[in-house]
């Protein structure tokens, strides 16, 4: 095919984590895209008119990379975090990664940390945050310090839930709002503490007015979208890994100290808003994403 001049000259088929929101954002801007199902039995007819197969989360996307290369399509893998961990967990995962990663024309990593992990297993990648199609909002800070904690049921250890619970016991005049899980009643019964609020799976936009800071004490992370969204709302982020813009706190004592400081802070995180505008606005993502896609046709 002739070398495309714009990403809008191509059709992208998307599969895997975060691609539903990416698909919506691209469609809104006039790009030709479609979503593929996560399956071990992909069908050629579903990518007949596609030029690029983009898979986010390697373990979900690899069957589409196989069928994509059989159909002579370009392939991109966007590594989002836990997929890089899975790729080194056991010999089956390592073998799967070694074989099927060779079917990928371009690897993208969601953060420098993930790029470094991929480097160790011989996969070269370009750092590109997966993009958040959101705008900054001027939401007044709450009068009482509110902490947002995200976790998925069954993965409490990965998200450091027990650590956050211990921290909450030391600052009982601070409200902790837990989101992302489904069975709220079970958690409310297990953690019977007045400053803990288990809200379940909700639209986070509903509670930003109660939130001052995100606390994220995870065993592993890529670059969570919720952090970028927090910046766009002028909220602070405490994290145990040095991502751009976070208040780095590796111990429980450090987190408690930072929370106490924030109790006397009534102004929004203006540096976070500035960082969002400089690095994470959707047009920034799209500019680099288009460059990566078009480069596939110049090789």
């Amino acid at each position: 095919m002739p070398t495309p001049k714009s990403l809008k000259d191509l059709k992208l088929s998307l599969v895997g984590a975060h691609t539903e929101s990416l698909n919506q954002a691209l469609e809104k801007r006039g790009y030709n895209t479609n979503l593929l199902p996560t399956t071990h039995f992909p069908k050629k007819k579903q990518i007949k008119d596609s030029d690029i197969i983009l898979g986010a989360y390697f373990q979900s996307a690899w069957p589409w990379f196989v069928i994509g290369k059989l159909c002579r399509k370009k392939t991109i893998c966007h590594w989002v975090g836990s997929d890089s961990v899975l790729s080194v967990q056991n010999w089956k995962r390592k073998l799967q990664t070694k074989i099927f990663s060779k079917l990928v024309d371009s690897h993208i990593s969601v953060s420098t940390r993930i790029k470094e992990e991929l480097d160790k297993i011989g996969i070269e990648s370009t750092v590109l945050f997966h993009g958040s199609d959101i705008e900054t909002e001027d939401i007044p800070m709450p009068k009482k310090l509110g902490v947002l904690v995200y976790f998925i049921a069954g993965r409490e250890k990965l998200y450091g839930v027990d650590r956050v619970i211990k921290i909450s016991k030391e600052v009982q005049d601070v409200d902790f709002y837990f989101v992302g899980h489904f069975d709220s009643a079970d958690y409310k019964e297990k953690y019977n503490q007045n400053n803990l609020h288990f809200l379940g799976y909700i639209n986070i936009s509903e509670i930003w007015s109660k939130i001052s800071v995100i606390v994220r004490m995870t065993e592993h992370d890529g670059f969570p979208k919720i952090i970028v969204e927090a910046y766009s709302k002028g909220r602070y982020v405490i994290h145990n890994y040095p991502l751009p813009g976070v208040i780095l706190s590796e111990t429980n004592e450090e987190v408690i100290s930072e929370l106490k400081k924030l109790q006397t802070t009534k102004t929004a995180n203006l540096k976070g808003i500035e960082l969002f505008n400089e690095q994470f606005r959707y047009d920034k993502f799209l500019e680099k994403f288009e460059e990566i896609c078009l480069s596939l046709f110049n090789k």
Side-chain angles (χ1 to χ4, degrees):
M1 66 176 294
T3 303
K5 295 181 180 180
S6 167
L7 190 54
K8 291 184 178 180
D9 296 332
L10 302 169
K11 181 173 181 179
L12 287 78
S13 290
L14 314 173
V15 60
H18 308 297
T19 52
E20 185 173 352
S21 59
L22 174 60
N23 184 64
Q24 291 173 353
L26 291 173
E27 279 189 340
K28 185 170 73 175
R29 290 164 174 79
Y31 292 87
N32 186 9
T33 66
N34 72 301
L35 284 174
L36 300 171
T38 301
T39 176
H40 283 95
F41 304 100
K43 297 178 180 179
K44 291 183 180 180
K45 65 180 181 180
Q46 292 176 285
I47 57 170
K48 180 181 177 182
D49 300 324
S50 300
D51 298 295
I52 299 174
I53 311 299
L54 169 70
Y57 197 91
F58 178 79
Q59 284 76 23
S60 298
W62 70 263
W64 285 106
F65 296 148
V66 175
I67 201 75
K69 296 318 290 181
L70 288 174
C71 296
R72 299 183 179 182
K73 310 298 182 182
K74 301 295 184 181
T75 52
I76 299 174
C77 183
H78 204 167
W79 296 78
V80 298
S82 51
D83 46 359
S84 63
V85 174
L86 283 174
S87 293
V88 297
Q89 277 192 336
N90 55 53
W91 70 268
K92 288 184 180 179
R93 292 293 192 187
K94 289 178 183 177
L95 183 61
Q96 180 192 59
T97 303
K98 185 176 182 179
I99 293 172
F100 296 113
S101 64
K102 296 182 184 300
L103 301 174
V104 176
D105 294 311
S106 182
H107 293 274
I108 305 172
S109 48
V110 77
S111 70
T112 302
R113 181 182 192 177
I114 304 305
K115 175 178 171 55
E116 291 169 350
E117 292 175 353
L118 293 177
D119 286 342
K120 291 177 182 177
I121 58 175
I123 295 176
E124 294 184 7
S125 63
T126 302
V127 176
L128 177 64
F129 175 69
H130 41 56
S132 284
D133 191 15
I134 53 179
E135 297 293 335
T136 57
E137 286 186 79
D138 183 11
I139 303 174
M141 294 287 279
K143 293 181 179 179
K144 184 180 181 182
L145 191 71
V147 174
L148 181 65
V149 184
Y150 176 88
F151 78 96
I152 297 174
R155 304 182 75 183
E156 292 85 355
K157 187 172 183 292
L158 173 66
Y159 286 94
V161 173
D162 284 346
R163 287 191 66 180
V164 177
I165 296 296
K166 288 179 181 178
I167 289 166
S168 73
K169 293 180 185 297
E170 302 301 319
V171 282
Q172 296 209 23
D173 53 345
V174 174
D175 283 321
F176 288 74
Y177 299 92
F178 293 80
V179 301
H181 53 287
F182 284 100
D183 44 358
S184 297
D186 290 346
Y187 290 103
K188 290 175 183 176
E189 184 176 347
K190 181 178 179 180
Y191 302 109
N192 186 16
Q193 192 174 307
N194 289 336
N195 64 330
L196 303 182
H197 312 278
F198 292 90
L199 306 181
Y201 194 80
I202 65 166
N203 186 337
I204 295 176
S205 63
E206 299 173 7
I207 63 164
W208 280 120
S209 61
K210 296 180 179 180
I211 303 303
S212 315
V213 57
I214 289 178
V215 169
R216 197 166 175 97
M217 305 300 288
T218 55
E219 291 185 339
H220 185 271
D221 249 332
F223 204 131
K225 279 189 172 185
I226 195 170
I227 288 181
V228 175
E229 188 168 353
Y231 294 154
S232 76
K233 309 299 182 261
R235 270 40 185 174
Y236 298 88
V237 178
I238 295 174
H239 195 13
N240 59 335
Y241 186 79
L243 294 173
V246 305
I247 300 169
L248 180 61
S249 301
E250 297 178 303
T251 68
N252 291 5
E253 291 72 25
E254 288 173 337
V255 176
I256 292 166
S257 175
E258 293 298 339
L259 289 176
K260 289 179 177 179
K261 290 178 187 176
L262 286 173
Q263 282 186 301
T264 62
T265 302
K266 302 303 179 184
T267 57
N269 181 9
L270 300 181
K271 288 185 178 179
I273 294 173
E274 183 179 346
L275 181 64
F276 175 83
N277 286 327
E278 290 177 352
Q279 294 189 27
F280 298 115
R281 294 192 74 86
Y282 204 77
D283 58 345
K284 301 286 186 183
F285 161 82
L286 199 55
E287 181 180 337
K288 192 167 183 179
F289 178 65
E290 182 156 351
E291 181 183 315
I292 291 169
C293 290
L294 294 180
S295 70
L296 300 177
F297 296 89
N298 295 321
K299 294 181 178 179

